């Protein structure tokens, strides 16, 4: 059965009262098959399918909790029939949100509008840090082992949202996470590798620092915009838990530094937005090294391309190298 046929068959079970008129694949993400489904009546839905049932349930639960607890605009997950399994795959149904890819529109916006949007991203990240707290670090998953069942969790003030982190030792998780990011860097970074590793080894935080939600892919490239305002922030799969400083370092790089060479005004805007909600956690050089190195290559170990229009590989390497050099200079 084709992807179109699988989706139609799935919806015949999940939404038997609705008639599907079109199934359009959406090329977003590497871990899931995603399609936009239009019906004869009513609003369209986005259908995501994957073999990892626990991952689908984790994302669905997080989306619901974000929508209930914060002002971060995320696609709504219907109360019933939103999560389940069909023909050996897990699925998630979510509301479709219209808008243009902010990645493609960001540089064309006026400077005041860009600063306002970046400030909102800062405020949203602070809201996420206030809304979610965990007892461990690293990958987050649904707490129960019933990855095949329907997600019936309801928000009753539990700041974990029924999610648990995989590790209980911050220092060991961070060292593994940051070391893996540095090791994934291609040969063009070889001359920096020793200094980067030394900086990671010199990370300041030990003990058990507070763990908050770490949305590692929180960026304009995962946002939809219309009339100069963000309509939705997408792609919440594979969430992590970490101290706020690490996610601030990542978001600063992806939100404030990614699109413009002179990023100081956007960094100030991001910080101002965050500080309206909670005190700003200044990242250490080791946090910045981990954040930049992890962002410099994608899940296939291909160098990522900043700016828009996107830079070529050589120019992209130069941007990432310069950011890493700045982090190392602050450490040395």
């Amino acid at each position: 059965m084709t992807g179109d046929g699988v989706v139609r068959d799935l919806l015949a079970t999940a939404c038997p009262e609705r008639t599907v008129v079109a199934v359009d694949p959406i090329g977003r993400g590497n871990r899931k098959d995603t399609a936009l489904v239009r019906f004869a009546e009513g609003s369209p839905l986005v259908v995501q399918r994957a073999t990892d049932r626990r991952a689908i349930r984790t994302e669905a639960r997080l989306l619901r909790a974000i929508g209930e607890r914060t002002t971060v605009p995320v696609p709504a997950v219907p109360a019933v029939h939103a999560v389940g399994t069909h023909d050996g795959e897990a699925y998630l149904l979510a509301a479709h949100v219209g808008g243009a890819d902010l990645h493609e529109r960001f540089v064309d916006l006026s400077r005041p509008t860009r600063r306002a949007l970046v400030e909102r991203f800062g405020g949203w990240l602070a809201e996420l840090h206030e809304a979610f707290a965990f007892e461990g670090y690293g990958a987050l998953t649904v707490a129960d082992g019933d990855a095949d069942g329907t997600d019936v969790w309801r928000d009753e003030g539990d700041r974990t949202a029924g999610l648990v982190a995989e590790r209980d030792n911050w220092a060991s998780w961070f060292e593994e996470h940051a070391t893996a990011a540095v090791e994934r860097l291609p040969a063009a970074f070889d001359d920096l590798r020793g200094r980067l590793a030394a900086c990671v080894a010199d990370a300041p935080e030990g003990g058990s620092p507070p763990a908050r939600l770490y949305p590692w892919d929180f960026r304009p490239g995962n946002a939809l915009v219309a009339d100069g305002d963000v309509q939705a922030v997408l792609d919440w799969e594979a969430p992590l838990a970490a101290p706020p400083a690490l996610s601030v370092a990542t978001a600063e790089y992806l939100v404030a530094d990614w699109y413009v060479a002179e990023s100081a005004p956007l960094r100030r805007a991001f910080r101002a937005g965050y500080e309206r909600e909670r005190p700003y956690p200044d990242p250490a050089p080791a946090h910045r090294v981990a954040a930049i190195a992890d962002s410099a290559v994608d899940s296939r170990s291909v160098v990522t391309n900043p700016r828009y229009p996107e830079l070529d590989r050589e120019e992209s390497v130069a941007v990432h190298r310069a950011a890493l050099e700045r982090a190392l200079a602050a450490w040395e």
Side-chain angles (χ1 to χ4, degrees):
M1 187 180 295
T2 66
D4 182 304
V6 169
V7 171
R8 288 174 180 270
D9 192 44
L10 181 163
L11 289 168
T13 301
C15 306
E17 72 284 0
R18 305 189 69 183
T19 302
V20 176
V21 297
V23 178
D24 300 316
I26 300 175
R28 178 179 287 276
N30 298 315
R31 298 179 178 90
K32 297 173 293 189
D33 290 319
T34 304
L36 172 62
V37 180
R38 301 186 188 279
F39 300 92
E41 295 181 354
S43 301
L45 290 174
V46 172
V47 181
Q48 298 180 336
R49 298 179 293 118
T51 56
D52 189 337
R53 298 169 184 174
R54 176 167 288 187
I56 286 287
R57 288 193 61 210
T58 297
E59 184 172 0
R61 188 170 295 184
L62 181 60
L63 276 172
R64 280 179 173 155
I66 291 171
E68 291 168 357
R69 300 177 180 193
T70 76
T71 66
V72 181
V74 294
V77 178
V80 295
H81 303 311
V83 183
T85 58
H86 178 79
D87 198 23
E89 287 187 319
Y91 68 83
L92 164 62
L93 306 182
H96 173 251
V97 181
D101 188 344
L102 182 55
H103 171 64
E104 299 175 358
R105 299 295 178 89
F106 189 83
V107 296
D108 293 329
L109 299 172
S110 69
R111 290 185 179 182
T113 300
R114 281 186 292 194
R115 288 195 297 270
L117 287 180
V118 168
E119 190 170 321
R120 293 193 73 185
F121 270 90
W124 287 333
L125 184 61
E127 284 189 56
L128 293 169
H129 287 166
E130 283 294 295
F132 298 94
F134 305 98
E135 296 181 357
Y137 312 93
L140 292 168
T141 59
V142 286
D144 59 87
D146 183 16
D148 294 323
T150 300
D151 190 352
V152 296
W153 174 84
R154 294 293 181 267
D155 189 345
E156 297 180 350
D158 175 11
R159 294 181 74 198
T160 70
L163 304 176
V164 293
E166 64 176 347
R167 301 282 289 276
D168 59 6
N169 186 293
W170 159 246
S172 65
W173 180 83
F174 177 74
E175 182 179 12
E176 290 179 20
H177 172 76
T179 298
V182 170
E183 290 179 347
R184 282 199 307 272
L185 295 172
F189 296 84
D190 280 351
D191 60 315
L192 298 180
R193 212 176 298 274
R195 295 161 62 206
L196 295 173
C199 181
V200 166
D202 197 34
E205 286 181 326
S208 302
R212 299 291 186 262
L213 182 66
Y214 176 15
W216 55 272
D217 213 14
F218 188 66
R219 58 189 176 89
N222 279 331
L224 300 175
V225 65
D227 299 323
D229 196 15
V230 174
Q231 305 301 302
V233 182
L234 310 175
D235 289 353
W236 296 87
E237 65 182 2
L240 301 173
L246 181 58
S247 52
V248 162
T250 301
E252 279 185 350
Y253 191 55
L254 295 176
V255 176
D257 296 349
W258 199 260
Y259 293 95
V260 296
E262 179 47 58
S263 62
L266 295 184
R267 280 178 169 264
R268 289 193 294 270
F270 183 85
R271 181 167 188 148
Y274 191 100
E275 288 182 329
R276 287 196 177 93
E277 302 293 332
R278 67 195 310 268
Y280 199 73
D282 284 313
H287 299 140
R288 296 197 186 280
V289 163
I292 297 163
D294 195 39
S295 303
V297 295
D298 64 16
S299 60
R300 299 161 295 178
S301 296
V302 175
V303 173
T304 53
N305 307 102
R307 311 289 189 260
Y308 191 84
E310 296 169 353
L311 301 177
D312 63 25
R313 186 182 187 280
E314 183 177 349
E315 293 168 326
S316 297
V317 166
V319 169
H320 297 315
R321 280 183 59 95
L324 290 169
E325 289 276 19
R326 289 193 296 271
L328 289 171
W331 170 64
E332 295 168 337

